[in-house]
């Protein structure tokens, strides 16, 4: 690989001169383009210099204006690099950091779990994260349109869109639950505490207690799951939750109304507030009796767990769950970056910051759970839980034991709301960007764009009503278990293989170098590490994870509490995951069928990037060097165009 400065110089020269006029395909890995129809250059167009067709008299004639192709509506850009960083951090730092990582950490050997966790981060999380950011930023396009770089793999973008749709469908239900708890937190005493009058009989009957007050509130008041027999019996819609879900979608609609110009400002609050709350909870937890037992339980290492494949699978699944890889949100947000943004720097900051937040949140969770175990006189393991059980049962019960419980409860659920909204911003941005790129007329018409966003949010609201029925938690668990399961792993595996071997890993690294010309030399050295991951380590680890998922899915029944899902329910979940990843095969067949020639010729043509893949690169350079045509008075008048000034720049560079 050439030194970075030489590559940047060559890139600037190429960008200034390469302005093809027709849709062509570029062979990956080299600079040879295959024109759809060859054109003959006129003498005045050779060497990239466009001369005036005639030399006029002293009275110059105005240049003829011929209508060109319709211009694409301009894409928005982030107001600053901090908006992008905060949006990505808010997207990655979600509910999984608070309610999933601490539980996985103590269940899989305490501090020992950090070893497989960071190995999976460095060999799968970081490389795939950088791949998504680079694809979006270089192509300046969403999850579907960006696959102009390899039309054969357009189905990856469609699959990302399907996964993101399923995630948005159930994720906002969590925000609706948070709204419900947030509203209930303004009551004193808290309705799930033993101080509430209706909970006194439950708390006094300590000999025959089956459920705590927080479990009763969660199962009966919020979910109503006690009124449902299972997946086949959803029951009526719970209208208090329906109002909360409507409020949640209204908030999302208003925050995304102006695209990244509005959501980019909201993240200054939503991405930073959870850190403030976690810090306050850690300080408060450290002052409580028994908190040290909770922290010890959280971090005590058990080295025997390293030999368990389940530990490594949990580490990998947490990386995917937390970083939001393969859903299209990262790719879409990166598409609004400036072309020369340093994606390697952003990848390191966001991924390390996300994992550090997960570890940091564990202290806030287990210090207070340790105090709860001390108050009850039971081991910490009996009060620890994961997922909704932690966020809406165990932790609220622990908060109810603190002095000033109303204040701490409001603060906690406000933090959960911020975490959920930020993550949903990224998923919704992935869907909106994909559609707006495919139908650019929506982007230029604010009225049509607003109508599209309103219909999208309302459609999600109507579909989400199934998840807030009496048996809605069964459907919620089904979608949650399979939407980001094997289908997501297959999508990311094909993305990694397609970029590495079809588009060309060397060409992809060169594209990254083109974008980060001002990066220090360590960026180039770090690219060698990422190249090795994309070609060898990441595909291998993804294959291992996929194999383990299939084995576990076959031998382990799906459960919610004591309810075991029927075979048809599990089959429905498998169909959801299969539908997402089958888009890769379907759209690959479509791409091959559109080409001509033998099957081998069709395949080779379908993996060559379209020339419009490099439009963002060319447009960026041309905007920086744009000079309006001028007229120079003399014996003869010559109309100077932008190409003449570009040629002058070439001469200046060559002389330098």
């Amino acid at each position: 690989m050439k030194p970075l400065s030489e590559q940047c110089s060559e890139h600037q020269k190429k960008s200034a001169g390469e302005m093809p006029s027709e849709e062509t395909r570029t062979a990956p890995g080299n600079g040879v383009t295959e024109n759809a129809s060859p054109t003959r250059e006129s003498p005045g167009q050779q060497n990239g210099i466009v001369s005036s067709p005639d030399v006029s008299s002293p009275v110059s004639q105005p240049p003829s204006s011929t209508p060109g192709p319709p211009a694409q509506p301009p894409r928005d850009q982030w107001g600053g690099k901090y908006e992008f960083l905060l949006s990505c951090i808010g997207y990655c730092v979600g509910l999984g950091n608070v309610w999933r990582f601490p539980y996985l950490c103590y269940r899989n050997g305490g501090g020992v779990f950090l070893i497989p966790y960071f190995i999976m981060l460095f060999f799968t999380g970081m490389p795939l994260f950088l791949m998504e950011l680079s694809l979006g930023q270089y192509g300046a396009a969403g999850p579907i349109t960006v696959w102009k770089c390899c039309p054969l793999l357009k189905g990856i973008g469609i699959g990302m869109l399907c996964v993101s749709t399923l995630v948005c469908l159930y994720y906002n239900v969590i925000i609706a639950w948070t709204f419900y708890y947030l509203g209930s937190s303004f009551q004193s005493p808290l309705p799930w505490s033993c101080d509430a009058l209706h909970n006194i009989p439950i708390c006094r009957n300590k000999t025959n207690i089956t459920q705590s007050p927080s479990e009763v509130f969660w199962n009966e008041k919020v979910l109503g799951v006690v009124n449902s027999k299972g997946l086949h019996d959803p029951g009526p819609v719970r209208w208090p939750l329906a109002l909360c879900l409507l409020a949640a979608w209204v908030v999302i609609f208003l925050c995304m109304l102006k695209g990244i110009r509005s959501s980019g400002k909201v993240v200054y609050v939503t991405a930073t507030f959870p850190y403030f709350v976690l810090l306050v909870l850690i300080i408060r937890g450290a002052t409580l009796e028994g908190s040290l037992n909770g922290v010890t339980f959280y971090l005590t290492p058990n080295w025997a767990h390293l030999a368990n494949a389940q530990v490594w699978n949990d580490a990998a699944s947490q990386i995917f769950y937390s970083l939001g890889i393969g859903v299209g949100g990262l790719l879409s947000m990166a598409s609004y970056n400036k072309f020369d943004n340093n994606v390697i720097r952003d990848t390191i900051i966001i991924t390390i910051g996300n994992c550090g937040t997960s570890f940091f949140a564990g202290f806030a969770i287990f210090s207070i759970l340790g105090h709860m175990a001390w108050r009850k006189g039971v081991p910490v393991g009996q009060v620890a839980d994961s997922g909704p059980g932690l966020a809406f049962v165990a932790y609220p019960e622990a908060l109810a034991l603190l002095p000033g419980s109303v204040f701490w409860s409001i603060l906690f659920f406000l933090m959960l709301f911020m975490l959920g909204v930020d993550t949903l911003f990224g998923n919704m941005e992935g869907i909106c960007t994909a559609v707006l790129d495919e139908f650019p007329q929506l982007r230029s018409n604010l009225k049509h764009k607003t109508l599209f966003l309103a219909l999208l949010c309302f459609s999600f609201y109507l579909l989400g009503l199934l998840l807030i029925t009496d048996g809605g938690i069964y459907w919620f668990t089904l979608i949650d278990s399979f939407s980001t399961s094997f289908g997501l792993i297959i999508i990311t595996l094909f993305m990694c293989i397609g970029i590495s071997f079809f588009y060309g890993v060397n060409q992809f690294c060169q594209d990254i170098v083109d974008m980060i010309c001002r990066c220090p030399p360590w960026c180039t050295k770090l690219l060698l590490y990422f190249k090795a991951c994309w070609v060898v380590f990441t595909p291998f680890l993804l294959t291992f994870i996929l194999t383990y998922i299939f084995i576990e899915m076959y031998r382990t029944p799906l459960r919610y509490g004591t309810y075991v899902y029927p075979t048809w329910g599990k089959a429905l979940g498998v169909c959801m995951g299969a539908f997402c990843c089958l888009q890769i095969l379907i759209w690959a067949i479509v791409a091959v069928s559109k080409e001509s020639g033998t099957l081998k010729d069709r395949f080779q043509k379908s993996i060559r990037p379209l020339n419009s893949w490099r439009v963002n690169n060319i447009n960026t350079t041309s905007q920086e060097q744009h000079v309006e045509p001028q007229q120079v008075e003399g014996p003869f008048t010559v109309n100077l165009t932008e190409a003449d000034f570009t040629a002058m720049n070439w001469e200046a560079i060559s002389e330098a």
Side-chain angles (χ1 to χ4, degrees):
M1 184 176 289
K2 296 180 180 180
L4 196 60
S5 57
E6 294 183 16
Q7 295 179 17
C8 294
S9 177
E10 290 181 5
H11 160 66
Q12 291 169 353
K13 296 178 184 180
K14 292 178 182 178
S15 299
E18 292 179 359
M19 186 70 80
S21 58
E22 299 186 20
E23 185 74 5
T24 62
R25 295 185 181 277
T26 307
N30 56 45
V32 181
T33 59
E34 180 184 347
N35 292 333
S37 58
T39 58
R40 182 185 300 271
E41 290 187 8
S42 62
Q45 291 177 329
Q46 295 175 358
N47 300 324
I49 303 175
V50 182
S51 60
S52 179
D54 60 348
V55 181
S56 62
S57 60
V59 181
S60 61
Q61 300 177 357
S64 61
S65 60
T66 57
Q72 293 289 337
R75 289 176 64 87
D76 292 332
Q77 283 193 338
W78 296 104
K81 62 181 180 180
Y82 296 112
E83 286 187 11
F84 171 69
L85 279 175
L86 287 175
S87 295
C88 284
I89 290 174
Y91 170 67
C92 296
V93 178
L95 297 170
N97 299 73
V98 174
W99 75 17
R100 196 164 185 264
F101 176 84
Y103 174 80
L104 290 178
C105 196
Y106 101 82
R107 192 184 76 177
N108 292 307
V112 171
F113 181 69
L114 297 177
I115 296 176
Y117 181 73
F118 279 101
I119 288 177
M120 288 297 178
L121 170 67
F122 290 129
F123 289 101
T124 59
M126 270 191 179
L128 292 173
F129 197 94
L130 175 62
M131 180 173 282
E132 278 207 51
L133 290 191
S134 302
L135 268 177
Q137 182 170 308
Y138 190 84
I144 300 177
T145 311
V146 78
W147 290 103
K148 295 180 292 185
C149 68
C150 184
L152 182 75
L153 299 179
K154 183 179 181 179
I156 293 177
I158 306 291
M160 288 179 174
L161 193 63
C162 295
V163 172
S164 188
T165 300
L166 291 173
V167 171
C168 288
L169 181 62
Y170 79 83
Y171 208 89
N172 214 18
V173 173
I174 303 174
I175 300 178
W177 294 338
T178 305
F179 262 136
Y180 190 90
Y181 269 85
L182 185 61
S184 302
S185 297
F186 286 92
Q187 304 177 40
S188 182
L190 294 173
W192 55 83
S193 69
C194 284
D195 296 332
L197 293 178
H198 57 273
N199 291 330
I200 292 178
I202 301 175
C203 297
R204 284 181 178 176
N205 186 14
K206 296 183 179 180
T207 57
N208 192 26
I209 186 171
T210 56
Q211 285 187 324
S212 65
S214 61
E215 290 175 311
V216 172
F217 183 81
W218 170 244
N219 291 321
E220 296 183 10
K221 300 293 184 182
V222 181
L223 299 180
V225 67
V226 294
N227 303 319
S228 175
K229 297 178 181 179
L231 201 63
H232 63 284
D233 181 28
V237 172
R238 302 187 65 80
W239 292 109
L241 281 182
L243 293 177
C244 292
L245 183 63
L246 180 62
W249 278 116
V250 169
V251 169
I252 296 297
F253 171 76
L254 294 177
C255 291
M256 297 192 62
L257 190 57
K258 295 184 179 180
I260 62 170
R261 286 180 296 172
S262 55
S263 63
K265 302 297 184 292
V266 174
V267 293
Y268 280 104
V269 176
T270 58
T272 56
F273 182 76
Y275 286 95
F276 167 74
V277 176
L278 284 175
L279 182 62
V280 171
L281 289 175
I282 287 177
I283 296 173
R284 181 66 181 105
T287 64
L288 299 174
E289 189 74 26
S291 61
L292 188 60
N293 295 334
V295 174
T296 303
F297 183 81
Y298 170 48
L299 294 177
T300 300
N302 187 342
W303 297 97
H305 282 75
L306 285 178
N308 189 352
Q310 176 67 42
V311 175
W312 294 83
N313 180 71
D314 284 346
S317 64
Q318 175 61 19
I319 289 294
F320 272 84
Y321 189 89
S322 180
L323 292 179
I325 299 169
V327 186
L330 294 172
L331 202 151
S332 298
M333 289 189 289
S335 70
Y336 299 106
N337 272 337
K338 293 181 179 179
F339 182 75
D340 59 351
N341 179 64
N342 191 332
V343 287
I344 295 182
R345 176 202 60 204
D346 291 350
T347 296
I348 295 173
I349 292 175
I350 296 168
T351 54
I352 296 296
N354 171 72
C355 296
T357 303
S358 298
F359 184 68
F360 183 63
F363 291 94
I365 299 298
F366 275 93
S367 61
I368 293 182
L369 289 183
H371 174 70
M372 176 182 174
W374 175 79
R375 289 280 295 266
K376 289 187 170 185
V378 298
V380 181
Q382 290 188 16
V383 299
D385 205 347
S386 175
L390 173 64
F392 300 109
V393 178
Y395 208 75
E397 184 178 352
L399 293 175
L401 300 175
L402 301 179
S405 56
V406 171
F407 169 76
W408 296 112
S409 182
I410 292 173
L411 206 61
F412 175 71
F413 288 111
L414 199 57
M415 178 190 72
L416 288 188
F417 169 72
M418 299 289 187
L419 290 172
V421 164
D422 271 347
T423 301
L424 199 57
F425 279 163
N427 288 316
M428 286 292 291
E429 193 60 60
I431 297 174
C432 293
T433 302
V435 175
L436 294 178
D437 284 348
E438 291 296 304
F439 303 97
Q441 60 272 20
L442 292 176
R443 193 185 299 276
S444 58
N445 191 315
L446 182 59
K447 181 180 178 181
H448 292 170
K449 182 181 177 182
T450 304
L451 182 62
F452 161 72
L453 182 61
L455 289 175
L456 183 65
C457 292
F458 187 66
S459 300
F460 275 129
Y461 170 71
L462 293 180
L463 293 172
L465 290 177
L466 174 64
L467 307 184
I468 54 173
T469 57
D470 287 341
I473 188 64
Y474 298 121
W475 288 95
F476 174 90
T477 304
L478 181 70
I479 299 175
D480 181 31
S481 300
F482 286 97
S483 62
T484 56
S485 180
F486 66 92
L488 181 63
I489 303 297
I490 291 176
I491 288 173
T492 52
L493 177 61
F494 272 87
M495 178 180 72
C496 185
I497 293 175
I499 292 297
S500 299
F501 298 101
F502 292 168
Y503 181 71
V505 68
N506 290 328
Q507 178 63 54
F508 189 65
C509 290
Q510 181 60 48
D511 293 344
I512 296 176
V513 169
D514 289 347
M515 291 189 292
I516 56 172
C517 290
R518 299 176 183 176
C519 183
W522 58 265
C523 287
T524 307
K525 297 177 181 178
L526 202 57
L527 270 181
L528 296 176
Y529 155 74
F530 284 119
K531 183 189 293 187
C533 290
W534 290 327
V535 174
V536 181
F537 299 116
T538 304
F540 172 78
L541 289 174
L542 289 177
T543 305
F544 159 74
I545 298 167
L546 188 62
T547 304
Y548 191 87
I549 287 176
F550 281 130
I551 294 174
E552 284 295 303
M553 189 169 58
Y554 175 75
R555 70 182 186 183
T556 306
L558 181 63
R559 299 174 180 269
Y560 175 76
T562 58
Y563 175 75
V564 179
Y565 280 73
T567 304
W568 68 267
K570 192 172 180 180
L572 182 61
V574 172
C575 290
M576 282 191 295
F579 177 78
C580 296
C581 57
L582 278 177
Q583 303 300 319
I584 302 173
L585 177 63
I586 295 172
W587 290 94
I589 294 174
V590 171
V592 171
S593 63
K594 286 183 178 181
E595 304 296 342
S596 58
T598 63
L599 184 60
K600 181 180 179 181
D601 292 338
R602 291 184 177 192
F603 177 79
Q604 289 179 343
K605 291 178 181 178
S606 63
I607 65 173
R608 292 179 180 177
L610 302 177
N611 190 69
S612 55
W613 165 240
R614 310 192 185 280
V615 164
N616 177 58
N617 183 358
I618 296 169
N619 287 346
T620 303
T621 307
S622 62
Q623 288 172 5
E624 293 174 355
Q625 299 181 354
H626 179 71
V627 182
E628 293 294 334
Q630 300 179 12
Q631 291 186 351
V632 181
E633 295 296 334
F636 297 94
T637 301
V638 179
N639 293 328
L640 299 180
T641 65
E642 184 178 346
D644 296 295
F645 291 91
T646 305
M648 295 177 185
N649 291 337
W650 288 346
E651 293 175 1
I653 293 174
S654 61
E655 290 175 359

